[in-house]
Amino acid sequence: MAMTFTLTPEPEDAAREQGRLLFAGPVTFVKGVVAMSGLPPADRVEVCFAGRSNVGKSSLINALTGRKTLARASNTPGRTQEINYFALGEERYLVDLPGYGFAEAPMAVVAKWQALLKQYLSGRATLRRAFVLIDARHGVKAVDEEILTLLDRSAVTFQAVLTKVDKINRVEREAVIEQVKGALGKHPAAYPEIVVTSSEKGEGIETLRAVIATLE
């Protein structure tokens, strides 16, 4: 039986407040990690953000945390080649994974950081969910399929997050949502709800905060 995908509904008041409190509290950069040995202690729930280069990942993290420069947006896609850890108080880690695709880096460097990504996804027991960012202007592309397949193989539940929905009109939005639903249907690790966001307009930010805050 095929899985049915829906848009994540607006959060209940309690969940909305839980999300607000989590992200209104202390948010600190912990460290950038280049090897599994450098990961911080697995002492709390963590979520990770993955997305191809230029998908708006830094902008979304900054919008969630209400801090304009917490995650650095780069004009050179693929520049960040570390797993960056942020602490949401004492409760959660938010993990920013390296952007994939179009990386202007030597092949050996790319191969090393792809290996680190695979090790992290398959070996981090406290990782509750991966959020895979999909540019609403383009939908799921072949380079996204690679990470989705990796998440399937790693048995990591992932949830699609559409970014930059303010850049398209209503008809285009409906079309890309249907395209994403179709693509996700091929992946057993996909969570059956899609979050629709705009970092610029604030759409979906409270919803995504609530999702992260209520994960156990």
Side-chain angles (χ1 to χ4, degrees):
M1 182 177 176
M3 187 178 293
T4 300
F5 289 86
T6 61
L7 299 186
T8 303
E10 288 280 320
E12 301 276 341
D13 288 345
R16 188 190 304 271
E17 180 64 4
Q18 197 172 337
R20 186 191 71 79
L21 289 172
L22 177 65
F23 284 91
V27 180
T28 54
F29 174 70
V30 178
K31 64 191 304 188
V33 178
V34 295
M36 288 291 285
S37 59
L39 293 180
D43 59 0
R44 67 194 73 179
V45 168
E46 62 190 66
V47 299
C48 68
F49 279 32
R52 63 178 178 264
S53 299
N54 222 16
V55 75
K57 184 152 52 70
S58 296
S59 297
L60 183 60
I61 291 172
N62 290 337
L64 284 168
T65 60
R67 293 156 174 83
K68 293 183 179 179
T69 58
L70 185 71
R72 294 171 298 172
S74 170
N75 291 325
T76 305
R79 189 183 70 179
T80 303
Q81 295 164 22
E82 298 178 334
I83 295 178
N84 289 311
Y85 266 78
F86 299 92
L88 304 176
E90 302 293 327
E91 295 183 36
R92 298 280 191 276
Y93 280 132
L94 190 159
V95 184
D96 182 11
L97 299 180
Y100 53 84
F102 312 111
E104 294 182 10
M107 285 184 65
V109 173
V110 174
K112 182 179 178 181
W113 116 61
Q114 285 177 339
L116 174 61
L117 186 61
K118 291 176 182 178
Q119 289 176 323
Y120 167 74
L121 291 174
S122 61
R124 191 67 169 171
T126 47
L127 177 61
R128 289 293 181 271
R129 188 170 300 175
F131 293 93
V132 180
L133 278 51
I134 305 294
D135 192 323
R137 298 170 299 178
H138 307 299
V140 176
K141 301 176 77 171
V143 69
D144 297 308
E145 288 287 354
E146 294 178 20
I147 193 79
L148 300 184
T149 299
L150 175 58
L151 288 160
D152 286 336
R153 291 173 180 165
S154 303
V156 174
T157 299
F158 69 84
Q159 186 165 4
V161 178
L162 282 180
T163 63
K164 304 184 182 182
V165 294
D166 57 293
K167 307 297 184 187
I168 58 176
N169 62 37
R170 183 178 59 81
V171 173
E172 292 169 327
R173 178 190 291 219
E174 291 176 358
V176 77
I177 288 171
E178 290 306 309
Q179 189 263 356
V180 171
K181 286 179 179 178
L184 294 179
K186 306 169 189 172
H187 295 280
Y191 189 76
E193 292 181 357
I194 300 165
V195 185
V196 176
T197 70
S198 164
S199 299
E200 194 169 306
K201 303 295 185 184
E203 181 176 352
I205 298 302
E206 287 188 337
T207 300
L208 187 51
R209 284 174 179 161
V211 171
I212 293 170
T214 54
L215 283 173
E216 296 182 357

PDB file of all heavy atoms in Angstrom, residues 160-197:
ATOM      1  N   ALA A 160      10.709  15.935   4.467  1.00  0.00           N
ATOM      2  CA  ALA A 160      11.004  16.938   3.445  1.00  0.00           C
ATOM      3  C   ALA A 160      10.518  18.307   3.896  1.00  0.00           C
ATOM      4  O   ALA A 160       9.428  18.454   4.446  1.00  0.00           O
ATOM      5  CB  ALA A 160      10.349  16.562   2.125  1.00  0.00           C
ATOM      6  N   VAL A 161      11.352  19.306   3.661  1.00  0.00           N
ATOM      7  CA  VAL A 161      11.015  20.697   3.966  1.00  0.00           C
ATOM      8  C   VAL A 161      11.202  21.505   2.685  1.00  0.00           C
ATOM      9  O   VAL A 161      12.322  21.624   2.185  1.00  0.00           O
ATOM     10  CB  VAL A 161      11.921  21.264   5.072  1.00  0.00           C
ATOM     11  CG1 VAL A 161      11.594  22.729   5.336  1.00  0.00           C
ATOM     12  CG2 VAL A 161      11.799  20.449   6.355  1.00  0.00           C
ATOM     13  N   LEU A 162      10.117  22.033   2.157  1.00  0.00           N
ATOM     14  CA  LEU A 162      10.209  22.893   0.978  1.00  0.00           C
ATOM     15  C   LEU A 162      10.678  24.275   1.409  1.00  0.00           C
ATOM     16  O   LEU A 162      10.136  24.845   2.364  1.00  0.00           O
ATOM     17  CB  LEU A 162       8.862  23.008   0.274  1.00  0.00           C
ATOM     18  CG  LEU A 162       8.421  21.835  -0.597  1.00  0.00           C
ATOM     19  CD1 LEU A 162       7.055  22.116  -1.211  1.00  0.00           C
ATOM     20  CD2 LEU A 162       9.433  21.556  -1.698  1.00  0.00           C
ATOM     21  N   THR A 163      11.673  24.812   0.720  1.00  0.00           N
ATOM     22  CA  THR A 163      12.176  26.151   1.014  1.00  0.00           C
ATOM     23  C   THR A 163      11.830  27.112  -0.120  1.00  0.00           C
ATOM     24  O   THR A 163      11.509  26.686  -1.231  1.00  0.00           O
ATOM     25  CB  THR A 163      13.701  26.139   1.196  1.00  0.00           C
ATOM     26  OG1 THR A 163      14.325  25.725  -0.039  1.00  0.00           O
ATOM     27  CG2 THR A 163      14.122  25.193   2.314  1.00  0.00           C
ATOM     28  N   LYS A 164      11.874  28.387   0.190  1.00  0.00           N
ATOM     29  CA  LYS A 164      11.721  29.462  -0.809  1.00  0.00           C
ATOM     30  C   LYS A 164      10.372  29.427  -1.511  1.00  0.00           C
ATOM     31  O   LYS A 164      10.272  29.760  -2.699  1.00  0.00           O
ATOM     32  CB  LYS A 164      12.858  29.397  -1.836  1.00  0.00           C
ATOM     33  CG  LYS A 164      14.253  29.453  -1.220  1.00  0.00           C
ATOM     34  CD  LYS A 164      15.345  29.472  -2.278  1.00  0.00           C
ATOM     35  CE  LYS A 164      16.719  29.478  -1.645  1.00  0.00           C
ATOM     36  NZ  LYS A 164      17.813  29.540  -2.633  1.00  0.00           N
ATOM     37  N   VAL A 165       9.306  29.047  -0.795  1.00  0.00           N
ATOM     38  CA  VAL A 165       7.987  28.984  -1.445  1.00  0.00           C
ATOM     39  C   VAL A 165       7.467  30.362  -1.825  1.00  0.00           C
ATOM     40  O   VAL A 165       6.550  30.479  -2.648  1.00  0.00           O
ATOM     41  CB  VAL A 165       6.939  28.248  -0.580  1.00  0.00           C
ATOM     42  CG1 VAL A 165       7.300  26.785  -0.428  1.00  0.00           C
ATOM     43  CG2 VAL A 165       6.773  28.911   0.771  1.00  0.00           C
ATOM     44  N   ASP A 166       8.060  31.410  -1.251  1.00  0.00           N
ATOM     45  CA  ASP A 166       7.657  32.769  -1.627  1.00  0.00           C
ATOM     46  C   ASP A 166       8.117  33.136  -3.031  1.00  0.00           C
ATOM     47  O   ASP A 166       7.659  34.137  -3.594  1.00  0.00           O
ATOM     48  CB  ASP A 166       8.223  33.780  -0.626  1.00  0.00           C
ATOM     49  CG  ASP A 166       9.740  33.708  -0.514  1.00  0.00           C
ATOM     50  OD1 ASP A 166      10.256  32.692  -0.019  1.00  0.00           O
ATOM     51  OD2 ASP A 166      10.415  34.665  -0.931  1.00  0.00           O
ATOM     52  N   LYS A 167       9.002  32.318  -3.600  1.00  0.00           N
ATOM     53  CA  LYS A 167       9.550  32.618  -4.927  1.00  0.00           C
ATOM     54  C   LYS A 167       8.687  32.064  -6.067  1.00  0.00           C
ATOM     55  O   LYS A 167       9.003  32.277  -7.243  1.00  0.00           O
ATOM     56  CB  LYS A 167      10.964  32.036  -5.058  1.00  0.00           C
ATOM     57  CG  LYS A 167      11.928  32.444  -3.954  1.00  0.00           C
ATOM     58  CD  LYS A 167      12.184  33.926  -3.923  1.00  0.00           C
ATOM     59  CE  LYS A 167      13.232  34.278  -2.873  1.00  0.00           C
ATOM     60  NZ  LYS A 167      13.383  35.742  -2.691  1.00  0.00           N
ATOM     61  N   ILE A 168       7.613  31.335  -5.729  1.00  0.00           N
ATOM     62  CA  ILE A 168       6.766  30.744  -6.769  1.00  0.00           C
ATOM     63  C   ILE A 168       5.307  31.115  -6.519  1.00  0.00           C
ATOM     64  O   ILE A 168       4.939  31.496  -5.404  1.00  0.00           O
ATOM     65  CB  ILE A 168       6.924  29.201  -6.815  1.00  0.00           C
ATOM     66  CG1 ILE A 168       6.579  28.577  -5.455  1.00  0.00           C
ATOM     67  CG2 ILE A 168       8.342  28.829  -7.235  1.00  0.00           C
ATOM     68  CD1 ILE A 168       6.624  27.057  -5.453  1.00  0.00           C
ATOM     69  N   ASN A 169       4.476  30.987  -7.563  1.00  0.00           N
ATOM     70  CA  ASN A 169       3.056  31.315  -7.407  1.00  0.00           C
ATOM     71  C   ASN A 169       2.262  30.090  -6.941  1.00  0.00           C
ATOM     72  O   ASN A 169       2.803  28.998  -6.791  1.00  0.00           O
ATOM     73  CB  ASN A 169       2.479  31.899  -8.705  1.00  0.00           C
ATOM     74  CG  ASN A 169       2.544  30.929  -9.878  1.00  0.00           C
ATOM     75  OD1 ASN A 169       2.353  29.722  -9.710  1.00  0.00           O
ATOM     76  ND2 ASN A 169       2.807  31.443 -11.074  1.00  0.00           N
ATOM     77  N   ARG A 170       0.968  30.274  -6.725  1.00  0.00           N
ATOM     78  CA  ARG A 170       0.135  29.213  -6.141  1.00  0.00           C
ATOM     79  C   ARG A 170       0.090  27.973  -7.030  1.00  0.00           C
ATOM     80  O   ARG A 170       0.164  26.841  -6.536  1.00  0.00           O
ATOM     81  CB  ARG A 170      -1.285  29.740  -5.919  1.00  0.00           C
ATOM     82  CG  ARG A 170      -2.217  28.736  -5.250  1.00  0.00           C
ATOM     83  CD  ARG A 170      -3.586  29.344  -5.021  1.00  0.00           C
ATOM     84  NE  ARG A 170      -4.194  29.776  -6.272  1.00  0.00           N
ATOM     85  CZ  ARG A 170      -4.830  28.948  -7.120  1.00  0.00           C
ATOM     86  NH1 ARG A 170      -4.920  27.658  -6.843  1.00  0.00           N
ATOM     87  NH2 ARG A 170      -5.367  29.409  -8.220  1.00  0.00           N
ATOM     88  N   VAL A 171      -0.042  28.167  -8.340  1.00  0.00           N
ATOM     89  CA  VAL A 171      -0.111  27.026  -9.260  1.00  0.00           C
ATOM     90  C   VAL A 171       1.204  26.254  -9.244  1.00  0.00           C
ATOM     91  O   VAL A 171       1.221  25.019  -9.197  1.00  0.00           O
ATOM     92  CB  VAL A 171      -0.444  27.501 -10.690  1.00  0.00           C
ATOM     93  CG1 VAL A 171      -0.356  26.337 -11.678  1.00  0.00           C
ATOM     94  CG2 VAL A 171      -1.840  28.127 -10.732  1.00  0.00           C
ATOM     95  N   GLU A 172       2.320  26.981  -9.264  1.00  0.00           N
ATOM     96  CA  GLU A 172       3.633  26.333  -9.218  1.00  0.00           C
ATOM     97  C   GLU A 172       3.828  25.606  -7.893  1.00  0.00           C
ATOM     98  O   GLU A 172       4.404  24.513  -7.852  1.00  0.00           O
ATOM     99  CB  GLU A 172       4.733  27.387  -9.401  1.00  0.00           C
ATOM    100  CG  GLU A 172       4.777  27.996 -10.795  1.00  0.00           C
ATOM    101  CD  GLU A 172       5.683  29.206 -10.880  1.00  0.00           C
ATOM    102  OE1 GLU A 172       5.797  29.953  -9.885  1.00  0.00           O
ATOM    103  OE2 GLU A 172       6.287  29.409 -11.956  1.00  0.00           O
ATOM    104  N   ARG A 173       3.315  26.196  -6.827  1.00  0.00           N
ATOM    105  CA  ARG A 173       3.432  25.571  -5.511  1.00  0.00           C
ATOM    106  C   ARG A 173       2.714  24.229  -5.487  1.00  0.00           C
ATOM    107  O   ARG A 173       3.268  23.232  -5.021  1.00  0.00           O
ATOM    108  CB  ARG A 173       2.856  26.488  -4.426  1.00  0.00           C
ATOM    109  CG  ARG A 173       2.902  25.877  -3.034  1.00  0.00           C
ATOM    110  CD  ARG A 173       2.120  26.692  -2.009  1.00  0.00           C
ATOM    111  NE  ARG A 173       2.748  27.955  -1.715  1.00  0.00           N
ATOM    112  CZ  ARG A 173       2.807  28.498  -0.492  1.00  0.00           C
ATOM    113  NH1 ARG A 173       2.265  27.867   0.535  1.00  0.00           N
ATOM    114  NH2 ARG A 173       3.371  29.658  -0.288  1.00  0.00           N
ATOM    115  N   GLU A 174       1.490  24.209  -5.975  1.00  0.00           N
ATOM    116  CA  GLU A 174       0.718  22.964  -5.987  1.00  0.00           C
ATOM    117  C   GLU A 174       1.409  21.901  -6.829  1.00  0.00           C
ATOM    118  O   GLU A 174       1.446  20.721  -6.455  1.00  0.00           O
ATOM    119  CB  GLU A 174      -0.690  23.241  -6.499  1.00  0.00           C
ATOM    120  CG  GLU A 174      -1.534  24.077  -5.537  1.00  0.00           C
ATOM    121  CD  GLU A 174      -2.896  24.426  -6.095  1.00  0.00           C
ATOM    122  OE1 GLU A 174      -3.189  24.041  -7.256  1.00  0.00           O
ATOM    123  OE2 GLU A 174      -3.679  25.085  -5.374  1.00  0.00           O
ATOM    124  N   ALA A 175       1.996  22.333  -7.954  1.00  0.00           N
ATOM    125  CA  ALA A 175       2.669  21.379  -8.844  1.00  0.00           C
ATOM    126  C   ALA A 175       3.910  20.784  -8.178  1.00  0.00           C
ATOM    127  O   ALA A 175       4.155  19.573  -8.262  1.00  0.00           O
ATOM    128  CB  ALA A 175       3.053  22.068 -10.155  1.00  0.00           C
ATOM    129  N   VAL A 176       4.698  21.623  -7.520  1.00  0.00           N
ATOM    130  CA  VAL A 176       5.927  21.111  -6.912  1.00  0.00           C
ATOM    131  C   VAL A 176       5.606  20.220  -5.707  1.00  0.00           C
ATOM    132  O   VAL A 176       6.297  19.221  -5.469  1.00  0.00           O
ATOM    133  CB  VAL A 176       6.892  22.253  -6.524  1.00  0.00           C
ATOM    134  CG1 VAL A 176       6.462  22.968  -5.241  1.00  0.00           C
ATOM    135  CG2 VAL A 176       8.325  21.732  -6.363  1.00  0.00           C
ATOM    136  N   ILE A 177       4.553  20.537  -4.971  1.00  0.00           N
ATOM    137  CA  ILE A 177       4.156  19.683  -3.856  1.00  0.00           C
ATOM    138  C   ILE A 177       3.790  18.291  -4.358  1.00  0.00           C
ATOM    139  O   ILE A 177       4.184  17.275  -3.777  1.00  0.00           O
ATOM    140  CB  ILE A 177       2.997  20.313  -3.058  1.00  0.00           C
ATOM    141  CG1 ILE A 177       3.504  21.518  -2.255  1.00  0.00           C
ATOM    142  CG2 ILE A 177       2.351  19.293  -2.121  1.00  0.00           C
ATOM    143  CD1 ILE A 177       2.410  22.346  -1.607  1.00  0.00           C
ATOM    144  N   GLU A 178       3.070  18.227  -5.468  1.00  0.00           N
ATOM    145  CA  GLU A 178       2.709  16.928  -6.046  1.00  0.00           C
ATOM    146  C   GLU A 178       3.943  16.179  -6.531  1.00  0.00           C
ATOM    147  O   GLU A 178       4.047  14.963  -6.364  1.00  0.00           O
ATOM    148  CB  GLU A 178       1.699  17.111  -7.194  1.00  0.00           C
ATOM    149  CG  GLU A 178       0.317  17.539  -6.734  1.00  0.00           C
ATOM    150  CD  GLU A 178      -0.260  16.611  -5.669  1.00  0.00           C
ATOM    151  OE1 GLU A 178      -0.263  15.383  -5.887  1.00  0.00           O
ATOM    152  OE2 GLU A 178      -0.668  17.112  -4.600  1.00  0.00           O
ATOM    153  N   GLN A 179       4.894  16.917  -7.111  1.00  0.00           N
ATOM    154  CA  GLN A 179       6.132  16.270  -7.581  1.00  0.00           C
ATOM    155  C   GLN A 179       6.912  15.697  -6.413  1.00  0.00           C
ATOM    156  O   GLN A 179       7.436  14.582  -6.474  1.00  0.00           O
ATOM    157  CB  GLN A 179       6.986  17.292  -8.347  1.00  0.00           C
ATOM    158  CG  GLN A 179       8.197  16.682  -9.068  1.00  0.00           C
ATOM    159  CD  GLN A 179       9.501  16.784  -8.283  1.00  0.00           C
ATOM    160  OE1 GLN A 179       9.551  17.377  -7.218  1.00  0.00           O
ATOM    161  NE2 GLN A 179      10.553  16.172  -8.813  1.00  0.00           N
ATOM    162  N   VAL A 180       6.990  16.450  -5.323  1.00  0.00           N
ATOM    163  CA  VAL A 180       7.720  15.994  -4.139  1.00  0.00           C
ATOM    164  C   VAL A 180       7.025  14.788  -3.518  1.00  0.00           C
ATOM    165  O   VAL A 180       7.682  13.815  -3.129  1.00  0.00           O
ATOM    166  CB  VAL A 180       7.866  17.148  -3.120  1.00  0.00           C
ATOM    167  CG1 VAL A 180       8.431  16.639  -1.791  1.00  0.00           C
ATOM    168  CG2 VAL A 180       8.760  18.249  -3.680  1.00  0.00           C
ATOM    169  N   LYS A 181       5.710  14.823  -3.435  1.00  0.00           N
ATOM    170  CA  LYS A 181       4.970  13.672  -2.901  1.00  0.00           C
ATOM    171  C   LYS A 181       5.277  12.412  -3.697  1.00  0.00           C
ATOM    172  O   LYS A 181       5.508  11.338  -3.136  1.00  0.00           O
ATOM    173  CB  LYS A 181       3.463  13.946  -2.936  1.00  0.00           C
ATOM    174  CG  LYS A 181       2.968  14.927  -1.892  1.00  0.00           C
ATOM    175  CD  LYS A 181       1.454  15.133  -2.037  1.00  0.00           C
ATOM    176  CE  LYS A 181       0.905  16.092  -1.001  1.00  0.00           C
ATOM    177  NZ  LYS A 181      -0.560  16.319  -1.173  1.00  0.00           N
ATOM    178  N   GLY A 182       5.289  12.543  -5.031  1.00  0.00           N
ATOM    179  CA  GLY A 182       5.580  11.391  -5.880  1.00  0.00           C
ATOM    180  C   GLY A 182       6.980  10.852  -5.663  1.00  0.00           C
ATOM    181  O   GLY A 182       7.198   9.641  -5.603  1.00  0.00           O
ATOM    182  N   ALA A 183       7.948  11.764  -5.515  1.00  0.00           N
ATOM    183  CA  ALA A 183       9.335  11.343  -5.300  1.00  0.00           C
ATOM    184  C   ALA A 183       9.503  10.661  -3.948  1.00  0.00           C
ATOM    185  O   ALA A 183      10.200   9.654  -3.825  1.00  0.00           O
ATOM    186  CB  ALA A 183      10.265  12.552  -5.413  1.00  0.00           C
ATOM    187  N   LEU A 184       8.854  11.204  -2.915  1.00  0.00           N
ATOM    188  CA  LEU A 184       8.997  10.639  -1.572  1.00  0.00           C
ATOM    189  C   LEU A 184       8.374   9.255  -1.462  1.00  0.00           C
ATOM    190  O   LEU A 184       8.801   8.440  -0.646  1.00  0.00           O
ATOM    191  CB  LEU A 184       8.348  11.567  -0.538  1.00  0.00           C
ATOM    192  CG  LEU A 184       8.986  12.943  -0.340  1.00  0.00           C
ATOM    193  CD1 LEU A 184       8.203  13.740   0.693  1.00  0.00           C
ATOM    194  CD2 LEU A 184      10.446  12.822   0.084  1.00  0.00           C
ATOM    195  N   GLY A 185       7.376   8.990  -2.284  1.00  0.00           N
ATOM    196  CA  GLY A 185       6.692   7.705  -2.233  1.00  0.00           C
ATOM    197  C   GLY A 185       7.587   6.517  -2.515  1.00  0.00           C
ATOM    198  O   GLY A 185       7.244   5.380  -2.172  1.00  0.00           O
ATOM    199  N   LYS A 186       8.757   6.771  -3.099  1.00  0.00           N
ATOM    200  CA  LYS A 186       9.707   5.696  -3.408  1.00  0.00           C
ATOM    201  C   LYS A 186      10.652   5.397  -2.250  1.00  0.00           C
ATOM    202  O   LYS A 186      11.485   4.490  -2.341  1.00  0.00           O
ATOM    203  CB  LYS A 186      10.547   6.097  -4.634  1.00  0.00           C
ATOM    204  CG  LYS A 186       9.738   6.488  -5.858  1.00  0.00           C
ATOM    205  CD  LYS A 186      10.639   7.123  -6.904  1.00  0.00           C
ATOM    206  CE  LYS A 186       9.831   7.729  -8.043  1.00  0.00           C
ATOM    207  NZ  LYS A 186      10.685   8.507  -8.972  1.00  0.00           N
ATOM    208  N   HIS A 187      10.532   6.164  -1.163  1.00  0.00           N
ATOM    209  CA  HIS A 187      11.519   6.068  -0.084  1.00  0.00           C
ATOM    210  C   HIS A 187      10.874   5.627   1.228  1.00  0.00           C
ATOM    211  O   HIS A 187      10.097   6.371   1.825  1.00  0.00           O
ATOM    212  CB  HIS A 187      12.227   7.410   0.089  1.00  0.00           C
ATOM    213  CG  HIS A 187      13.034   7.800  -1.102  1.00  0.00           C
ATOM    214  ND1 HIS A 187      14.294   7.290  -1.342  1.00  0.00           N
ATOM    215  CD2 HIS A 187      12.754   8.617  -2.149  1.00  0.00           C
ATOM    216  CE1 HIS A 187      14.754   7.794  -2.478  1.00  0.00           C
ATOM    217  NE2 HIS A 187      13.847   8.591  -2.984  1.00  0.00           N
ATOM    218  N   PRO A 188      11.218   4.431   1.705  1.00  0.00           N
ATOM    219  CA  PRO A 188      10.591   3.900   2.920  1.00  0.00           C
ATOM    220  C   PRO A 188      10.910   4.687   4.185  1.00  0.00           C
ATOM    221  O   PRO A 188      10.162   4.606   5.164  1.00  0.00           O
ATOM    222  CB  PRO A 188      11.150   2.473   3.012  1.00  0.00           C
ATOM    223  CG  PRO A 188      12.383   2.472   2.166  1.00  0.00           C
ATOM    224  CD  PRO A 188      12.122   3.449   1.077  1.00  0.00           C
ATOM    225  N   ALA A 189      12.005   5.464   4.195  1.00  0.00           N
ATOM    226  CA  ALA A 189      12.363   6.223   5.399  1.00  0.00           C
ATOM    227  C   ALA A 189      11.672   7.585   5.463  1.00  0.00           C
ATOM    228  O   ALA A 189      11.839   8.315   6.442  1.00  0.00           O
ATOM    229  CB  ALA A 189      13.879   6.410   5.478  1.00  0.00           C
ATOM    230  N   ALA A 190      10.896   7.921   4.442  1.00  0.00           N
ATOM    231  CA  ALA A 190      10.265   9.241   4.398  1.00  0.00           C
ATOM    232  C   ALA A 190       9.125   9.362   5.402  1.00  0.00           C
ATOM    233  O   ALA A 190       8.259   8.488   5.475  1.00  0.00           O
ATOM    234  CB  ALA A 190       9.751   9.525   2.993  1.00  0.00           C
ATOM    235  N   TYR A 191       9.127  10.448   6.166  1.00  0.00           N
ATOM    236  CA  TYR A 191       8.025  10.757   7.072  1.00  0.00           C
ATOM    237  C   TYR A 191       6.886  11.321   6.225  1.00  0.00           C
ATOM    238  O   TYR A 191       7.138  12.090   5.282  1.00  0.00           O
ATOM    239  CB  TYR A 191       8.482  11.788   8.112  1.00  0.00           C
ATOM    240  CG  TYR A 191       7.492  12.023   9.217  1.00  0.00           C
ATOM    241  CD1 TYR A 191       7.341  11.104  10.247  1.00  0.00           C
ATOM    242  CD2 TYR A 191       6.699  13.175   9.233  1.00  0.00           C
ATOM    243  CE1 TYR A 191       6.422  11.321  11.269  1.00  0.00           C
ATOM    244  CE2 TYR A 191       5.782  13.397  10.250  1.00  0.00           C
ATOM    245  CZ  TYR A 191       5.643  12.463  11.260  1.00  0.00           C
ATOM    246  OH  TYR A 191       4.740  12.679  12.257  1.00  0.00           O
ATOM    247  N   PRO A 192       5.628  10.956   6.522  1.00  0.00           N
ATOM    248  CA  PRO A 192       4.538  11.268   5.596  1.00  0.00           C
ATOM    249  C   PRO A 192       3.987  12.689   5.625  1.00  0.00           C
ATOM    250  O   PRO A 192       2.899  12.935   5.119  1.00  0.00           O
ATOM    251  CB  PRO A 192       3.450  10.261   6.005  1.00  0.00           C
ATOM    252  CG  PRO A 192       3.695  10.016   7.445  1.00  0.00           C
ATOM    253  CD  PRO A 192       5.180  10.069   7.614  1.00  0.00           C
ATOM    254  N   GLU A 193       4.730  13.629   6.205  1.00  0.00           N
ATOM    255  CA  GLU A 193       4.297  15.022   6.192  1.00  0.00           C
ATOM    256  C   GLU A 193       5.396  15.911   5.622  1.00  0.00           C
ATOM    257  O   GLU A 193       6.579  15.703   5.900  1.00  0.00           O
ATOM    258  CB  GLU A 193       3.937  15.500   7.605  1.00  0.00           C
ATOM    259  CG  GLU A 193       2.701  14.834   8.185  1.00  0.00           C
ATOM    260  CD  GLU A 193       2.369  15.356   9.574  1.00  0.00           C
ATOM    261  OE1 GLU A 193       3.132  16.188  10.115  1.00  0.00           O
ATOM    262  OE2 GLU A 193       1.339  14.927  10.134  1.00  0.00           O
ATOM    263  N   ILE A 194       4.993  16.914   4.846  1.00  0.00           N
ATOM    264  CA  ILE A 194       5.919  17.852   4.215  1.00  0.00           C
ATOM    265  C   ILE A 194       5.703  19.229   4.837  1.00  0.00           C
ATOM    266  O   ILE A 194       4.567  19.694   4.949  1.00  0.00           O
ATOM    267  CB  ILE A 194       5.661  17.927   2.695  1.00  0.00           C
ATOM    268  CG1 ILE A 194       5.841  16.545   2.051  1.00  0.00           C
ATOM    269  CG2 ILE A 194       6.573  18.954   2.033  1.00  0.00           C
ATOM    270  CD1 ILE A 194       5.271  16.449   0.641  1.00  0.00           C
ATOM    271  N   VAL A 195       6.807  19.857   5.247  1.00  0.00           N
ATOM    272  CA  VAL A 195       6.722  21.211   5.798  1.00  0.00           C
ATOM    273  C   VAL A 195       7.033  22.214   4.692  1.00  0.00           C
ATOM    274  O   VAL A 195       8.037  22.065   3.979  1.00  0.00           O
ATOM    275  CB  VAL A 195       7.708  21.407   6.967  1.00  0.00           C
ATOM    276  CG1 VAL A 195       7.510  22.780   7.605  1.00  0.00           C
ATOM    277  CG2 VAL A 195       7.542  20.319   8.016  1.00  0.00           C
ATOM    278  N   VAL A 196       6.183  23.203   4.538  1.00  0.00           N
ATOM    279  CA  VAL A 196       6.351  24.225   3.505  1.00  0.00           C
ATOM    280  C   VAL A 196       6.817  25.519   4.180  1.00  0.00           C
ATOM    281  O   VAL A 196       6.163  26.005   5.113  1.00  0.00           O
ATOM    282  CB  VAL A 196       5.023  24.459   2.754  1.00  0.00           C
ATOM    283  CG1 VAL A 196       5.160  25.588   1.747  1.00  0.00           C
ATOM    284  CG2 VAL A 196       4.586  23.179   2.053  1.00  0.00           C
ATOM    285  N   THR A 197       7.959  26.057   3.747  1.00  0.00           N
ATOM    286  CA  THR A 197       8.540  27.204   4.446  1.00  0.00           C
ATOM    287  C   THR A 197       8.983  28.324   3.507  1.00  0.00           C
ATOM    288  O   THR A 197       9.270  28.102   2.329  1.00  0.00           O
ATOM    289  CB  THR A 197       9.774  26.789   5.278  1.00  0.00           C
ATOM    290  OG1 THR A 197      10.850  26.450   4.389  1.00  0.00           O
ATOM    291  CG2 THR A 197       9.472  25.638   6.210  1.00  0.00           C
TER     292      THR A 197
END
